[in-house]
């Protein structure tokens, strides 16, 4: 779907987006660039990332960014300031999924998910802070999940990482507001991306009242709002964008159906 996005909504702003080569991250890059931002696309998928930067044009550059690497983060922030002169927006989008029963989850599995999904954004925020302060403030958007609001069987390290990202969003908002830096978390439900499909999730398993999963660009519209000056008084907040998934209690429906069956019997 094409949205009517004013080309000057993010004019003059520079955004660094992680996990930007495909899926939600690539949608964020396209949408923010269309709104007038210059974007630094960070990922470890070099070919896809370079292709996206070429597609967007002069307003984008690609940098190799392993979010668990402090040196990669330092280089990415330097690329933003060297090429575009500033940094105003950090979108912590990179993440990995993992699904296994608790007894089948190894310590290495646990650490890998937490390293990418939680420690990675933390390292990045530390790296980006000097540039954000130098720009006079800015916006940090942490992409969490509905699994950062509720439990999900077999997704234990993923759930822990997304709850953690939600938590540091609030503590950072409290600390960084004095510098004009806003920090918010976005909590998508089922989004049709390679990562989600790769761990075997399907929209029909998610009990979504709207009856479908989200398109990545629908999540990007919320990221765009949080990156913009329109959200100038918004910080420390969590934004759920899930088609009603967390508003729906499937057990309630199951119990209602059972009650009707018992009554009929």
């Amino acid at each position: 779907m094409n949205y009517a996005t004013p080309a000057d909504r993010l004019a003059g702003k520079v955004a660094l987006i992680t996990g930007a080569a495909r899926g939600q991250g690539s949608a964020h890059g396209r949408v923010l660039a269309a709104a007038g931002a210059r974007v630094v696309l960070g990922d470890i998928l070099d070919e896809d990332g370079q292709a996206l930067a070429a597609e967007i044009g002069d307003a984008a550059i690609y940098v190799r960014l392993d979010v668990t690497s402090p040196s990669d983060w330092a280089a990415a922030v330097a690329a933003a300031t060297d090429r575009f002169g500033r940094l105003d927006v950090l979108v912590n989008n990179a993440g990995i999924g993992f699904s296994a029963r608790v007894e089948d989850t190894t310590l290495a599995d646990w650490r890998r998910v937490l390293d990418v999904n939680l420690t990675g954004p933390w390292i990045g925020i530390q790296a980006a802070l000097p540039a954000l302060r130098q720009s006079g403030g800015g916006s940090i958007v942490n992409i969490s999940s509905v699994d950062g609001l509720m439990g999900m069987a077999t997704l234990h390290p993923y759930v822990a990482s997304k709850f953690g990202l939600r938590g540091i969003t609030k503590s950072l908002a409290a600390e960084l507001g004095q510098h004009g830096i806003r920090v918010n978390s976005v909590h998508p439900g089922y989004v049709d991306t390679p990562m989600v499909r790769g761990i075997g999730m399907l929209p029909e398993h998610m009990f979504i009242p709207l009856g479908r999963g989200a398109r990545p660009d629908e999540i990007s519209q919320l990221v765009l709002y949080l990156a913009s000056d329109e959200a100038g008084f918004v910080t420390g907040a969590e934004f759920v964008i899930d088609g009603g998934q967390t508003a729906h209690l499937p057990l309630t429906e199951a119990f209602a159906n059972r009650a009707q069956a018992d009554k009929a019997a």
Side-chain angles (χ1 to χ4, degrees), residues 110-123:
W110 174 271
R111 286 175 170 164
R112 178 170 174 264
V113 175
L114 270 291
D115 280 350
V116 174
N117 293 4
L118 183 57
T119 304
W122 176 257
I123 297 170

Side-chain angles (χ1 to χ4, degrees), residues 2-263:
N2 292 322
Y3 294 90
T5 300
D8 61 351
R9 196 170 171 190
L10 294 182
K13 296 188 184 297
V14 177
L16 170 56
I17 305 165
T18 68
R22 63 182 185 180
Q24 285 189 59
S26 63
H28 302 337
R30 291 185 180 97
V31 167
L32 268 58
R38 291 164 291 176
V39 294
V40 178
L41 309 168
D43 211 309
I44 59 173
L45 302 174
D46 296 335
E47 186 174 339
D48 290 342
Q50 290 164 357
L52 179 61
E55 173 194 323
I56 293 173
D58 291 341
I61 58 171
Y62 170 76
V63 296
R64 183 171 180 83
L65 174 54
D66 174 349
V67 296
T68 69
S69 167
S71 60
D72 278 12
W73 270 111
V77 172
T81 56
D82 290 348
R83 175 68 178 269
F84 298 126
R86 58 189 296 127
L87 181 64
D88 305 276
V89 179
L90 171 61
V91 182
N92 279 312
N93 171 79
I96 57 174
F98 177 82
S99 178
R101 296 182 304 170
V102 61
E103 62 266 36
D104 297 325
T105 302
T106 68
L107 183 56
D109 295 328
W110 174 271
R111 286 175 170 164
R112 178 170 174 264
V113 175
L114 270 291
D115 280 350
V116 174
N117 293 4
L118 183 57
T119 304
W122 176 257
I123 297 170
I125 290 165
Q126 289 184 317
L129 271 178
L132 292 172
R133 288 194 183 106
Q134 189 171 356
S135 295
S139 173
I140 298 171
V141 183
N142 292 323
I143 307 299
S144 180
S145 167
V146 292
D147 296 321
L149 302 169
M150 61 183 188
M152 180 67 73
T154 77
L155 299 183
H156 312 296
Y158 183 80
V159 167
S161 71
K162 294 304 184 178
F163 263 86
L165 192 56
R166 173 190 174 200
I168 63 170
T169 293
K170 294 185 181 301
S171 61
L172 286 165
E175 181 173 329
L176 300 180
Q178 62 183 316
H179 303 290
I181 298 171
R182 299 178 293 105
V183 192
N184 295 286
S185 59
V186 173
H187 298 260
Y190 180 93
V191 185
D192 187 14
T193 65
M195 186 196 80
V196 174
R197 292 194 299 270
I199 59 176
M201 288 187 175
L202 297 171
E204 56 264 32
H205 298 164
M206 299 293 106
F207 305 104
I208 302 170
L210 288 184
R212 65 174 179 87
R215 300 184 309 274
D217 62 306
E218 291 179 300
I219 312 303
S220 301
Q221 294 299 315
L222 178 52
V223 173
L224 169 59
Y225 165 70
L226 293 172
S228 75
D229 292 340
E230 297 163 24
F233 200 60
V234 179
T235 195
E238 53 199 42
F239 291 82
V240 180
I241 179 166
D242 68 351
Q245 180 181 337
T246 53
H248 179 54
L249 295 176
L251 285 179
T252 301
E253 183 176 308
F255 281 126
N257 292 339
R258 181 174 179 177
Q260 288 180 344
D262 290 345
K263 184 177 181 180

